[in-house]
């Protein structure tokens, strides 16, 4: 199999050493005969900035990486994700949820023993059984809502066990129910990470998804979406995460040392690559 891999950062800040490690790992897995793609995952328009996209190109180029053109920029393809949402809606698998975060927290507290998954407590299903007329009236009244996947109905439609293969962890039985009725779109963000990444990996022919082990559990949900939408199933390789001097993984929210700051301090690309430990 000729490997087709991708590195898909979000332009919400400057790239740090952990990003460099992930990008280098992806190119290494593609190998000299494979293909390496770059994708910009900028669906969160409240946090993403065009300047960070330019910085991504600059930093990866400084590391010596090359990628195919054109780069897929997700914010330019919201209509694609809307079409996918329409398909799931027509199949009866999505429903509008009008609950605020406060509403959800209050209901979870009332229940007292809500199941939990990778994203925290499961949504308690408050809006799942709303009538069509109630949904129509509330949408017409301008109420904000999210689109949730009816997990129970989706699993019944699939009807059988699903699996996926990780090159590090081996064959995995998919258990997407650990997410509950997950949100696939919101009014202010017309798609979710889970929906857009599953669609784009299929569209771009990615057959080896390389990403950090912090996203391991997301693959359970992505495998379900692939089955519901008739998409190809890639192999996966969830690599370890770099740990900083403070014992925590590198992250933008912790203001981890950026590649450009290391460059400004006089470090060479080879020195940074050596620090990643992936090559």
């Amino acid at each position: 199999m000729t490997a087709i891999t991708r590195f898909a950062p979000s332009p919400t800040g400057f790239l740090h050493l952990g990003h460099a490690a992930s990008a280098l790992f992806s190119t290494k897995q593609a190998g000299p005969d494979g293909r390496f793609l770059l994708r910009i995952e900028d669906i969160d328009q409240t946090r993403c900035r065009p300047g960070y996209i330019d910085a991504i190109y600059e930093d990866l180029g400084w590391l010596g990486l090359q990628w195919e053109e054109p780069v897929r920029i997700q914010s330019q393809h919201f209509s694609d994700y809307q079409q996918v949402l329409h398909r799931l809606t027509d199949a009866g698998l999505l429903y509008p949820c009008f609950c605020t975060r406060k509403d959800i927290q209050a209901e979870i507290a009332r229940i007292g023993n809500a199941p939990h998954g990778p994203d925290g407590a499961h949504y308690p299903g408050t809006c799942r059984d709303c009538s069509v007329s109630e949904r129509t009236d509330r949408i017409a009244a301008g109420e904000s809502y999210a689109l949730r996947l009816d997990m129970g109905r989706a699993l019944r439609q699939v009807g059988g066990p699903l699996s996926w293969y990780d090159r590090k962890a081996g064959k995995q039985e998919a258990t997407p129910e650990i997410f509950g009725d997950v949100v696939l779109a919101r009014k202010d963000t017309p798609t979710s990470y889970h929906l857009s990444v599953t669609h784009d990996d299929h569209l771009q022919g990615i057959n080896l998804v390389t990403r950090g082990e912090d996203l391991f559990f997301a693959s359970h949900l992505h495998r379900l979406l692939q089955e519901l939408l008739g998409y190809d199933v890639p192999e996966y390789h969830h690599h370890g995460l770099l740990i900083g001097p403070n014992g925590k993984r590198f992250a933008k929210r912790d203001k981890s040392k950026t590649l450009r700051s290391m460059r400004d301090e006089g470090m060479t690309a080879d020195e940074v690559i050596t620090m990643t430990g992936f090559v």
Side-chain angles (χ1 to χ4, degrees), residues 177-248:
E177 60 270 20
I178 60 177
F179 283 88
D181 288 4
V182 65
V183 170
L184 293 186
R186 297 183 186 276
K187 183 177 181 180
D188 57 346
T189 306
T191 181
S192 68
Y193 164 76
H194 298 301
L195 183 79
S196 55
V197 72
T198 301
H199 175 74
D200 286 353
D201 283 342
H202 169 76
L203 180 70
Q204 295 185 289
I206 305 300
N207 57 22
L208 176 58
V209 173
T210 63
R211 57 191 179 199
E213 61 189 7
D214 56 326
L215 291 169
F216 185 89
F217 285 107
S219 300
H220 291 271
L221 177 59
H222 298 176
R223 181 65 187 88
L224 173 63
L225 292 175
Q226 291 159 0
E227 194 72 12
L228 294 172
L229 295 165
Y231 287 172
D232 297 330
V233 182
E235 289 189 355
Y236 293 83
H237 194 143
H238 292 86
H239 58 73
L241 303 174
L242 287 191
I243 304 299
N246 59 0
K248 298 181 180 180

Side-chain angles (χ1 to χ4, degrees), residues 123-274:
Y123 172 68
T126 309
C127 294
R128 187 187 306 126
D129 297 323
C130 289
S131 66
V132 174
S133 60
E134 180 182 353
R135 292 172 178 174
T136 301
D137 290 345
R138 296 179 73 171
I139 292 173
E143 288 191 45
S144 295
Y145 64 92
L147 289 175
R148 290 186 180 273
L149 178 69
D150 188 326
M151 182 60 69
R153 183 170 292 184
L155 291 173
R156 289 192 295 273
Q157 178 164 312
V158 168
L162 301 173
S163 63
W164 50 281
Y165 183 77
D166 184 89
R167 290 189 173 184
K168 184 177 180 182
K171 184 178 179 180
Q172 302 292 309
E173 179 181 348
T175 55
E177 60 270 20
I178 60 177
F179 283 88
D181 288 4
V182 65
V183 170
L184 293 186
R186 297 183 186 276
K187 183 177 181 180
D188 57 346
T189 306
T191 181
S192 68
Y193 164 76
H194 298 301
L195 183 79
S196 55
V197 72
T198 301
H199 175 74
D200 286 353
D201 283 342
H202 169 76
L203 180 70
Q204 295 185 289
I206 305 300
N207 57 22
L208 176 58
V209 173
T210 63
R211 57 191 179 199
E213 61 189 7
D214 56 326
L215 291 169
F216 185 89
F217 285 107
S219 300
H220 291 271
L221 177 59
H222 298 176
R223 181 65 187 88
L224 173 63
L225 292 175
Q226 291 159 0
E227 194 72 12
L228 294 172
L229 295 165
Y231 287 172
D232 297 330
V233 182
E235 289 189 355
Y236 293 83
H237 194 143
H238 292 86
H239 58 73
L241 303 174
L242 287 191
I243 304 299
N246 59 0
K248 298 181 180 180
R249 68 183 180 90
F250 289 94
K252 294 174 186 175
R253 63 178 177 272
D254 297 327
K255 298 182 179 179
S256 301
K257 201 167 190 178
T258 65
L259 298 183
R260 61 184 42 235
S261 69
M262 299 168 77
R263 182 165 68 247
D264 291 343
E265 291 172 3
M267 293 189 66
T268 67
D270 286 342
E271 289 173 329
V272 172
I273 291 172
T274 299

Side-chain angles (χ1 to χ4, degrees), residues 10-13 42-50 52 252-253:
S10 296
T12 57
D42 61 339
I43 60 174
D44 187 349
Q45 295 289 280
T46 62
R47 298 175 59 230
C48 295
R49 300 288 182 270
Y52 290 137
K252 294 174 186 175
R253 63 178 177 272

Side-chain angles (χ1 to χ4, degrees), residues 1-6 24-37 167 208 210:
M1 180 182 73
T2 299
I4 306 174
T5 67
R6 57 31 170 207
L24 290 164
F25 183 81
S26 183
T27 59
K28 184 176 181 180
Q29 293 302 309
D33 300 321
R35 297 170 56 199
F36 170 67
L37 280 63
R167 290 189 173 184
L208 176 58
T210 63

